[in-house]
Amino acid sequence: MKKTLSGLLACAALAWPLAAGAADQAPSTLPGHYYLQGVMETGSELLLKKDGTFEWMLSYGNTDQQASGEWRVAGDTVTLVTGNGGKEPQFRVFEEAEMRIQKPAEAGLWVAIVGFPKVGPMAGVEVKFEAQSGKTATAVSVANGDAIVRMPASERWVRAGLRRQGAKADYQWLTVPPARAQERIAAFAVTDRQWLRGQAFQKLALRVVDGGLKVDDADNGLSRGLYAKPASKQ
């Protein structure tokens, strides 16, 4: 089953008639739920919210993409700019029952694994390792979720601070369980699995036309169909 924002994907939406007069809409009438029209075997939805934020998704075959952020209007162009809306991911320590670690980290290394249990890793998380002595070292999780630093054998790991790479937010500090500290390897779970998914684009321009919104970016490989609201019921 395809993933959608509303739970009802564009298979049915392809049969909906186009909403009239979209090219003449004022910004106040633009918010709403749009569905991609005229592209076979592709489902896509766009939700423009009244608070100036948006949610977008596209599903094609086994590929699912998503994006969220803020939207703005200039003339007949609606521009979607991705972002996190000021939110930051939250983390917790993996429960031992969730762990699949079978051996300690290599001597001289401390390893933090970041991801969502039974789902997958999370890259781009800055991890600050802190020893009992106060000594610290920092690494960023890579594609497999691992963040690795070198530490002398005399040091003992006591806690880890996590935040998105490049974020200005404070670190979220978590105590490393004694068993994990002894083996120099611990796992940290992001509490919302949506953070595992990257943004499909950084910026996307849509042109207001009769019937809805069309992708207005020649260099963007996203679908060239029309995003239209379902016809209002009389």
Side-chain angles (χ1 to χ4, degrees):
M1 181 178 294
K2 302 295 185 184
K3 299 175 183 177
T4 70
L5 300 174
S6 65
L8 299 174
L9 192 58
C11 294
L14 291 174
W16 288 337
L18 305 182
D24 298 323
Q25 290 187 50
S28 61
T29 66
L30 286 171
H33 210 144
Y34 295 78
Y35 298 84
L36 182 64
Q37 310 273 321
V39 181
M40 297 299 294
E41 300 180 354
T42 300
S44 185
E45 300 181 23
L46 171 63
L47 176 61
L48 298 182
K49 301 180 181 180
K50 292 181 179 180
D51 64 1
T53 62
F54 77 90
E55 293 181 31
W56 174 93
M57 63 76 54
L58 181 142
S59 185
Y60 175 77
N62 294 324
T63 300
D64 293 305
Q65 295 181 306
Q66 64 87 36
S68 60
E70 299 180 347
W71 65 277
R72 57 189 67 134
V73 184
D76 65 350
T77 301
V78 175
T79 303
L80 311 180
V81 181
T82 57
N84 58 22
K87 298 179 181 179
E88 292 296 332
Q90 298 297 302
F91 301 93
R92 65 172 178 82
V93 177
F94 266 59
E95 301 289 343
E96 281 298 321
E98 297 171 327
M99 302 279 286
R100 295 183 179 179
I101 299 172
Q102 298 180 349
K103 60 182 181 180
E106 183 181 329
L109 299 181
W110 289 4
V111 180
I113 304 170
V114 187
F116 193 94
K118 299 181 180 180
V119 176
M122 181 176 177
V125 176
E126 184 180 317
V127 182
K128 190 170 187 177
F129 301 73
E130 184 175 295
Q132 192 169 28
S133 67
K135 182 179 177 65
T136 63
T138 303
V140 176
S141 63
V142 294
N144 68 354
D146 290 359
I148 303 174
V149 298
R150 293 191 174 276
M151 276 288 188
S154 59
E155 298 289 355
R156 181 175 179 80
W157 194 5
V158 291
R159 66 175 188 163
L162 293 88
R163 68 182 178 188
R164 261 188 330 110
Q165 182 181 19
K168 296 181 180 180
D170 294 335
Y171 285 105
Q172 182 185 345
W173 288 99
L174 298 170
T175 300
V176 177
R180 297 289 104 227
Q182 184 175 357
E183 297 191 348
R184 303 176 304 283
I185 184 168
F188 304 93
V190 63
T191 57
D192 185 349
R193 62 194 294 174
Q194 294 298 319
W195 284 98
L196 301 185
R197 303 170 63 185
Q199 302 274 28
F201 55 83
Q202 293 184 325
K203 184 181 292 186
L204 179 64
L206 300 165
R207 185 162 44 89
V208 180
V209 298
D210 288 333
L213 305 170
K214 286 185 68 70
V215 174
D216 191 30
D217 186 346
D219 296 326
N220 199 301
L222 298 175
S223 180
R224 292 294 188 271
L226 177 73
Y227 284 90
K229 293 180 179 180
S232 59
K233 295 181 180 179
Q234 299 297 327

